[in-house]
């Protein structure tokens, strides 16, 4: 199928600013689903609130655009009630880890077979540029006019500690890696997290003097490196890309089916 | 005892009613005094192939059941005041997206942590007005286990019929009290199943286009129709819209589908109303003491009657006005500071003749409490 077969034309034009990273994530996601050959009827996309969350509406899957921060809780209900469905949850950094932080760690702890995509632009875009729990110290935001003093979460470490069994990271500069990681995340049986650094030129870029969307993407090339590379040893400040965790642990829906068997025996 | 009769708590009667109605997905979070509902369902649901999940909080619980409803299941969650407060945003989402679901609030004393182990009826207005935005809601209650069972079945029926969340407002007193419940034979009570679309694959399906009778046929997630569900104002496809016409029509539809059918949705019981001079209006646990008073005074020749409300929202104003038209006094008996009193006053022709008998100290209102207030109203002194 062609990319356009996955898009709801009735929904366009999309709301994203020119140069926003979220479009790149969406194309990567479409390619992943296409290459895996998953029937669109078996795909459910659940999202919360924010620029990133709008992805769900644009795609021709079963789509559930919910409330801020709670997408994973809705997705848990969808998945557990019908485990045959593939469940993908695209989230922004504030959506996933500020208001949604509790649901994020608990979905990971349960190891329920959902693919969470954290589109990390380190800012609240839709509300106009406030700092998020992934902004980090020194970032300029409308609610941090004297520069941010809030520490940032490390999504990879957090997901790993909470029990996610597939954890990976890449950036919008590495478009092919987006597709590859999302494919592996969907195929993985268990809770998977893919963090994608995604530029918000309109708010983060402008306020933090990071230049155009192209400049911001080039920056992703410079500040990241494959996991365990020589460059990382030389420069520990580099952010690693790739798969950090890939484990086989009992998956929640499969375990619940065992409970049903046990209960039915009486 | 009949083999289908059990001596159980009110919370268990609710569980039995839900299972009878076809509940097959429950998500919840422990909270007094509703926890027994979750405990029993954790055991009972998997026995029939259904699913139970304990979520990380009440917000997640309501969100999870909304998700499960969309895949075609009959769903429920149960909580008490503080948890019900947390659910309000997701409740308005279920209203806006028209997702059938049942929310049980076993009321306890509030505000805040209040008196968790004591009964109250303080959440009546929260059920109506707790969430943001104009909307209509259905909320039901009951005073004994047989009725808790039937009202619970009816909650599922109404949720499916009107594609709406339905709130069951029980209370700690009936929830924890034990009395017999006889479970009706299968088929004895009517069950409304989900109305699914007959639109074929490849033909445009409109998830948000009401039929002439106001109902909206659904399609399960995973089935052939892929559509969008959003809490934004949306058109008949479920796509976001900021058109004034779309916003107006959607809001009118959400309110009218319930408010215009208030008389149809109204469930209530009447006792000795044929010639009542003094009408007691009560509901839930308070109706038990009210009935006691009415029957006691009738023996002495006093013309007292009782209307026991089972549908609290939409408030059955027309019915109350009509039933109270010939009464000298109306007395609302409830365990709060007059939440239904207010509605009754708005409904009747002589609001100055409407009085309140209540308790707000966590102690179950007794027939003597009601009698004392009645004597004051009648000018007889206590
Ligand atoms: S505000 Fe930022 S995140 Fe939102 S669409 Fe624009 S560029 Fe993208």
């Amino acid at each position: 199928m062609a990319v356009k077969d996955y898009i709801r034309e009735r929904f366009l034009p999309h709301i994203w600013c020119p140069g926003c990273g979220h479009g790149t994530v969406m194309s990567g996601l479409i390619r992943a689903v296409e290459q895996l050959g998953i029937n669109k009827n078996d795909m459910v996309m659940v999202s919360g609130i924010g620029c990133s969350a709008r992805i769900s509406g644009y795609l021709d899957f079963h789509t559930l655009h919910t409330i801020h921060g709670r997408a994973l809780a809705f997705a848990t209900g969808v998945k557990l009630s019908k485990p045959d469905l593939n469940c993908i949850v695209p989230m922004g950094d504030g959506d996933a880890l500020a208001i949604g932080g509790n649901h994020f760690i608990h979905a990971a702890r349960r190891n329920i077979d959902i693919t969470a995509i954290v589109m990390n632009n380190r800012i609240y875009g839709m509300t106009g540029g406030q700092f998020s729990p992934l902004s980090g110290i020194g970032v300029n935001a409308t609610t941090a006019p004297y520069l941010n003093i809030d520490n940032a979460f490390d999504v990879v470490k957090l997901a790993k500690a909470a029990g996610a069994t597939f954890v990976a990271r890449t950036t919008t500069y590495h478009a092919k890696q987006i597709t590859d990681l999302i494919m592996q995340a969907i195929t993985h049986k268990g809770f998977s997290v893919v963090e994608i650094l995604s530029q918000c030129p309109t708010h983060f870029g402008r306020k933090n003097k990071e230049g155009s969307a192209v400049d911001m993407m080039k920056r992703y090339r410079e500040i990241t490196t494959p996991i365990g590379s020589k460059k990382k040893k030389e420069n520990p400040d580099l952010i690693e890309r790739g798969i950090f965790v890939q484990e086989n642990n009992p998956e929640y829906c499969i375990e619940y089916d065992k409970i049903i068997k046990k209960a039915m025996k009486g | 005892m009949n083999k289908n009769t059990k001596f159980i708590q009110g919370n268990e009667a609710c569980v039995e009613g839900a299972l009878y109605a076809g509940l097959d997905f429950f998500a919840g979070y422990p909270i007094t005094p509703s926890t027994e509902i979750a405990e029993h369902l954790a055991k009972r649901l998997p026995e029939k192939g259904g699913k139970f999940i304990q979520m990380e909080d009440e917000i997640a619980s309501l969100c999870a059941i909304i998700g499960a409803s969309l895949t075609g299941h009959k769903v429920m969650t149960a909580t008490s005041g503080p948890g019900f407060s947390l659910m309000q945003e997701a409740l308005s989402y279920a209203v806006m997206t028209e997702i059938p679901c049942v929310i049980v609030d076993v009321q306890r004393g509030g505000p805040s942590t209040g008196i968790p182990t004591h009964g109250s009826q303080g959440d009546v207005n929260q059920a109506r007005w707790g969430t943001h935005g104009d909307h209509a809601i259905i909320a039901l209650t009951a005073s004994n286990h047989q009725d808790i069972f039937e009202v619970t079945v009816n909650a599922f029926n109404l949720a499916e019929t009107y594609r709406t969340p339905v709130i069951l407002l029980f209370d700690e007193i009936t929830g924890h009290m034990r009395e017999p419940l006889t479970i009706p034979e299968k088929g004895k009570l009517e069950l409304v199943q989900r109305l699914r679309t007959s639109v074929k694959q490849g033909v445009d399906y409109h998830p948000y286009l009401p039929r002439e009778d106001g109902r909206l046929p659904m399609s399960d997630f995973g089935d052939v129709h892929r559509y969008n569900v959003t809490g934004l104002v949306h058109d008949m496809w479920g796509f976001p819209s900021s058109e004034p016409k779309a916003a107006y029509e959607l809001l009118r539809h959400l309110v009218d589908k319930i408010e215009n059918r208030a008389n149809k949705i109204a469930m209530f019981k009447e006792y000795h109303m044929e010639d009542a001079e003094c009408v007691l209006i009560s509901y839930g646990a308070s109706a038990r003491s009210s009935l006691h008073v009415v029957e006691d005074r009738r023996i002495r020749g006093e013309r007292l009657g009782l209307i026991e409300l089972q549908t609290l929202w939409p408030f059955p104003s027309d019915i109350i006005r009509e039933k109270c038209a010939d009464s000298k006094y109306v007395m609302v008996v409830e365990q709060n500071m007059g939440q239904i009193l207010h509605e009754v006053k708005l409904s009747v022709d002589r609001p100055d003749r409407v009085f309140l008998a209540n308790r707000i100290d966590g102690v179950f209102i007794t027939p003597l409490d009601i009698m004392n207030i009645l004597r004051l109203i009648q000018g007889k002194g206590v």
Side-chain angles (χ1 to χ4, degrees):
Chain A
M1 259 190 281
V3 167
K4 72 164 184 24
D5 294 327
Y6 290 89
I7 291 180
R8 287 174 170 151
E9 299 207 339
R10 203 181 268 150
F11 226 121
L12 299 177
H14 63 64
I15 64 155
W16 295 322
C17 312
C20 175
H22 296 346
T24 312
V25 177
M26 184 165 89
S27 328
L29 174 74
I30 291 174
R31 269 185 222 109
V33 174
E34 194 222 329
Q35 284 178 34
L36 288 170
I38 304 172
N39 186 322
K40 291 193 281 185
N41 290 340
D42 296 332
M43 290 289 307
V44 179
M45 182 160 277
V46 186
S47 65
I49 297 293
C51 298
S52 55
R54 293 298 180 97
I55 249 192
S56 60
Y58 304 139
L59 296 180
D60 185 22
F61 304 139
H62 302 283
T63 55
L64 184 55
H65 176 236
T66 68
I67 54 180
H68 197 27
R70 320 295 176 196
L72 283 169
F74 284 90
T76 299
V78 170
K79 181 70 187 181
L80 180 61
S81 65
K82 214 172 199 174
D84 293 345
L85 297 172
N86 286 290
C87 224
I88 300 187
V89 181
M91 296 178 283
D93 35 306
D95 195 35
L97 291 159
I99 186 165
N102 199 30
H103 310 303
F104 183 86
I105 57 173
H106 287 280
R109 175 180 62 77
R110 285 186 196 102
N111 195 33
I112 187 162
D113 188 18
I114 290 171
T115 302
I117 301 174
V118 181
M119 299 149 80
N120 178 10
N121 55 22
R122 303 172 66 196
I123 203 96
Y124 285 87
M126 190 165 265
T127 46
Q130 300 74 35
F131 71 87
S132 91
L134 297 187
S135 295
I137 290 174
V139 160
N140 188 355
T142 58
T143 46
Y146 304 105
L147 304 187
N148 194 22
I149 58 165
D150 275 44
N151 288 310
F153 276 134
D154 179 325
V155 182
V156 166
K157 283 188 189 156
L158 182 69
K160 191 177 167 185
T165 47
F166 181 96
V167 182
R169 180 194 285 136
T170 187
T171 85
T172 48
Y173 181 82
H174 305 89
K176 265 174 75 185
Q177 193 173 31
I178 293 180
T179 303
D180 173 52
L181 292 178
I182 294 179
M183 274 172 76
Q184 295 199 54
I186 293 175
T187 324
H188 177 78
K189 237 351 206 184
F191 191 70
S192 41
V193 177
V194 182
E195 180 191 10
I196 303 171
L197 306 186
S198 173
Q199 73 279 7
C200 169
T202 307
H203 296 294
F204 191 93
R206 199 179 290 163
K207 277 201 136 358
N208 291 282
K209 311 218 161 35
E210 287 198 352
S212 68
V214 177
D215 296 334
M216 290 180 83
M217 285 171 76
K218 280 192 187 145
R219 201 167 164 268
Y220 287 148
R221 185 185 59 190
E222 279 144 32
I223 62 167
T224 65
T225 181
I227 296 173
S229 68
K230 220 174 105 206
K231 266 167 92 188
K232 174 74 182 173
K233 284 186 199 108
E234 288 158 8
N235 180 4
D237 287 344
L238 290 177
I239 300 166
E240 288 176 298
R241 283 184 289 111
I243 299 171
F244 296 82
V245 179
Q246 196 166 18
E247 288 168 5
N248 278 322
N249 283 344
E251 191 276 329
Y252 195 82
C253 301
I254 296 174
E255 292 305 302
Y256 199 87
D257 279 342
K258 293 181 193 163
I259 286 191
I260 292 178
K261 285 210 183 81
K262 209 194 267 180
M264 279 180 155
K265 265 194 220 139
Chain B
M1 270 200 307
N2 177 320
K3 73 170 174 28
N4 290 335
T5 302
K6 296 175 157 190
F7 194 74
I8 52 173
Q9 286 192 334
N11 282 345
E12 260 182 283
C14 170
V15 165
E16 295 294 347
L19 291 170
Y20 186 96
L23 171 75
D24 51 9
F25 191 97
F26 178 95
Y29 186 82
I31 183 168
T32 304
S34 79
T35 309
E36 295 84 6
I37 296 177
E39 288 174 337
H40 285 283
L41 285 169
K43 184 166 188 316
R44 298 283 298 281
L45 272 173
E47 286 173 357
K48 54 165 263 192
K51 287 174 180 173
F52 165 91
I53 184 168
Q54 182 169 313
M55 295 299 288
E56 52 272 24
D57 58 26
E58 289 88 347
I59 302 171
S61 301
L62 182 48
C63 296
I65 67 163
I66 294 170
S69 183
L70 275 165
T71 65
H73 294 83
K74 285 196 175 176
V75 301
M76 182 169 95
T77 184
T79 188
S80 188
F84 191 48
S85 294
L86 286 177
M87 289 179 180
Q88 295 300 324
E89 188 192 5
L91 174 61
S92 88
Y93 182 81
V95 167
M96 184 63 145
T97 53
E98 303 185 70
I99 313 278
C101 56
V102 175
I103 301 154
V104 186
D105 173 8
V106 185
Q107 298 167 92
R108 65 191 223 185
S112 189
T113 314
I115 317 183
T117 52
H118 286 49
S120 152
Q121 296 176 316
D123 301 349
V124 173
N125 274 343
Q126 189 191 12
R128 177 65 189 88
W129 302 110
T131 195
H132 57 286
D134 283 309
H135 65 286
I137 199 85
I138 299 177
L140 312 176
T141 185
S143 64
N144 63 68
H145 293 14
Q146 206 60 45
D147 288 353
I148 286 178
F149 181 96
E150 286 190 22
V151 157
T152 302
V153 171
N154 197 32
F156 281 89
N157 288 347
L158 292 170
E160 292 297 339
T161 305
Y162 298 109
R163 275 193 67 168
T164 182
V166 175
I167 297 160
L168 285 170
L169 275 179
F170 298 138
D171 51 65
E172 190 277 337
I173 300 149
T174 48
H176 281 164
M177 185 176 65
R178 283 182 188 273
E179 65 179 15
L181 165 76
T182 303
I183 298 172
E185 293 294 336
K186 235 177 146 183
K188 184 129 186 284
L189 300 187
E190 193 211 346
L191 300 181
V192 177
Q193 301 306 345
R194 181 153 307 179
L195 179 67
R196 290 189 170 82
T197 179
S198 56
V199 170
K200 299 262 168 340
Q201 180 165 15
V203 181
D204 211 1
Y205 160 63
H206 302 116
Y208 290 102
L209 182 66
R211 301 196 308 196
E212 250 169 49
D213 62 0
R215 293 189 71 184
L216 293 88
M218 296 183 76
S219 175
D220 298 344
F221 270 25
D223 226 325
V224 296
H225 298 292
R226 297 177 301 273
Y227 61 97
N228 188 53
V229 177
T230 179
L232 289 163
V233 166
H234 46 268
D235 61 19
M236 63 184 176
W237 288 283
F239 291 155
S241 168
S242 39
E243 287 291 317
K245 188 169 176 281
Y248 175 82
E249 284 177 358
L250 177 57
L251 211 62
R252 276 259 61 107
H253 161 71
L254 293 177
V255 171
D256 292 349
K257 72 175 179 180
I258 291 170
E259 292 292 340
N260 289 354
R261 294 179 177 84
N263 291 346
K264 204 172 157 203
I265 297 168
M267 287 170 79
F268 61 96
K269 291 170 121 179
E270 291 177 80
Y271 300 91
H272 304 291
M273 281 297 292
E274 47 308 325
D275 61 348
E277 281 183 343
C278 174
V279 175
L280 269 57
I281 297 176
S282 192
Y283 54 94
S286 309
R288 298 175 76 99
S289 296
S290 305
L291 181 58
H292 193 94
V293 169
V294 168
E295 293 193 326
D296 187 53
R297 300 325 285 179
R298 276 277 165 185
I299 295 169
R300 291 157 210 236
E302 285 184 36
R303 282 154 65 184
L304 260 66
L306 169 67
I307 302 173
E308 180 190 339
L309 298 173
Q310 292 185 318
T311 302
L312 296 181
W313 306 114
F315 190 76
S317 296
D318 296 347
I319 293 167
I320 292 295
R321 181 182 309 110
E322 197 185 301
K323 302 269 175 204
C324 296
D326 300 326
S327 62
K328 275 197 189 152
Y329 310 104
V330 175
M331 190 158 82
V332 179
V333 184
E334 54 186 338
Q335 301 225 145
N336 56 46
M337 294 178 90
Q339 301 191 13
I340 286 296
L341 172 82
H342 179 73
E343 294 303 315
V344 173
K345 279 186 181 259
L346 286 177
S347 306
V348 298
D349 301 322
R350 300 276 316 264
D352 55 314
R353 290 296 174 101
V354 181
F355 301 91
L356 173 67
N358 71 340
R359 271 194 94 132
I360 54 164
D361 56 358
V363 179
F364 181 36
I365 191 163
T366 64
L368 186 64
D369 294 329
I370 300 171
M371 264 318 299
N372 286 341
I373 296 166
L374 194 62
R375 289 176 67 85
L376 276 179
I377 296 166
Q378 292 172 334
K380 293 181 186 163
V382 181

